[in-house]
Amino acid sequence: QLITRGLGEVAVAIAFGVLPVNGAAWLFTGTFDVTLMWLSLSVGLWVAAILQINEVPDIAADEKAGKRNLAVRVGAKGVAVIYAVMQLLAFVILAGLVVTGKLSAALLLLPSALVLVAMRATTLIYPPIHDRLVIGIKMTLAIQLLGCLWLIVFLLFLR
């Protein structure tokens, strides 16, 4: 299992971001779009961030059970760092598409706010206090939901 090797987040990013986005596009168009591939990486990172933050409350139980997921390996403080990097990377990928002229600057309207929300959520991961984590998890779910809805609206109407 990939999760027991600390690779669950990578598998989730691919399985719930890259593959469905690019697979659906290929089914509808019969082509592979490099720009869409980059967008799907942001989607994958947002999904993987959900998994990452959700593992924090279970670190002690997972460690006791012998699970070696990424959160167990790096602890809550390490999760906060990895989570922040994933969220920043999701934004940087989108910004890169704008800077390289692949997509218009309108792409960054909502993600600019979402990355700020993500940085706030990062501060709720460590120290791992239950009520704070619940808020951080809800924020992370909102980031993924709003980010994906925004990408859909952007691609359909603002591209």
Side-chain angles (χ1 to χ4, degrees):
Q1 291 182 358
L2 293 174
I3 198 162
T4 60
R5 294 190 171 107
L7 297 172
E9 289 75 9
V10 173
V12 165
I14 293 168
F16 293 95
V18 176
L19 290 177
V21 171
N22 290 287
W26 180 77
L27 286 173
F28 283 106
T29 66
T31 61
F32 177 77
D33 184 339
V34 175
T35 300
L36 191 58
M37 175 65 176
W38 285 108
L39 285 173
S40 73
L41 287 174
S42 289
V43 172
L45 286 163
W46 287 331
V47 173
I50 294 169
L51 177 63
Q52 188 67 74
I53 196 170
N54 271 304
E55 289 176 345
V56 173
D58 302 325
I59 289 175
D62 286 349
E63 189 169 27
K64 187 175 179 181
K67 291 183 181 178
R68 298 289 298 149
N69 60 38
L70 189 57
V72 168
R73 292 171 187 261
V74 301
K77 194 172 192 176
V79 167
V81 171
I82 292 167
Y83 176 93
V85 168
M86 286 192 297
Q87 294 285 4
L88 287 170
L89 186 55
F91 180 78
V92 166
I93 288 168
L94 298 176
L97 291 170
V98 171
V99 169
T100 59
K102 301 288 184 199
L103 295 171
S104 74
L107 173 65
L108 299 179
L109 289 174
L110 184 63
S112 295
L114 294 179
V115 76
L116 296 176
V117 172
M119 293 307 99
R120 174 65 179 126
T122 298
T123 67
L124 302 174
I125 297 171
Y126 185 83
I129 299 166
H130 177 74
D131 292 343
R132 290 167 39 105
L133 277 170
V134 169
I135 294 168
I137 290 167
K138 289 178 181 180
M139 292 168 80
T140 305
L141 291 167
I143 291 164
Q144 195 275 334
L145 174 64
L146 294 172
C148 289
L149 288 174
W150 173 251
L151 292 181
I152 291 167
V153 169
F154 175 81
L155 290 173
L156 290 176
F157 304 109
L158 304 172
R159 190 174 192 176

